[in-house]
Amino acid sequence: MERSVLPEIIRYRIGADRADAFVEAYRKAGESLTASPHCSGYELLRSKKDPELFLLIIRWDSAEGHLRGFRQSAQFREFFAHIKPYVGDILEMEHYEATGVAT
């Protein structure tokens, strides 16, 4: 799988009573990400220290591919239908760029 040049990081705080449904929503929403030619992969992580914290990493081909390609596609509408109940739980949503410090 080709590594993208632009990771998007989304941090969520999801209460324990909604966590299982949240994970399942992203399992379904992931199908739309996989179908997008602009997404090269994604991963949903959960904090061991604070199980209400989740981190989603989506690897996009570019900001334009994400914001104009994916966001204007049928895949985005399908994706958003699954995750819409959790948008208010977002703590951070940001594109990051590599610094060159990596192994």
Side-chain angles (χ1 to χ4, degrees), residues 19-94:
D20 289 344
F22 174 75
V23 170
E24 185 57 29
Y26 262 104
R27 192 176 319 281
K28 292 175 182 173
E31 295 174 15
S32 300
L33 291 173
T34 300
S36 173
H38 301 287
C39 178
S40 63
Y42 62 92
E43 185 173 15
L44 180 63
L45 305 169
R46 188 175 196 176
S47 172
K48 294 285 284 175
K49 182 179 174 184
D50 183 349
E52 290 189 350
L53 290 178
F54 289 84
L55 180 70
L56 177 68
I57 304 166
I58 305 174
R59 293 180 300 279
W60 298 106
D61 58 359
S62 65
E64 186 172 327
H66 173 211
L67 300 173
R68 294 210 172 116
F70 180 68
R71 287 249 179 118
Q72 295 179 8
S73 71
Q75 287 100 2
F76 175 74
R77 290 185 290 280
E78 293 167 7
F79 170 84
F80 194 73
H82 293 293
I83 62 103
K84 185 177 181 180
Y86 307 100
V87 169
D89 300 297
I90 293 173
L91 301 173
E92 174 189 12
M93 181 168 52
E94 187 70 42

Side-chain angles (χ1 to χ4, degrees), residues 3-18:
R3 185 171 269 224
S4 91
V5 296
L6 191 68
E8 178 186 21
I9 307 294
I10 306 171
R11 292 177 48 239
Y12 288 90
R13 179 170 292 282
I14 304 293
D17 59 325
R18 299 169 64 221

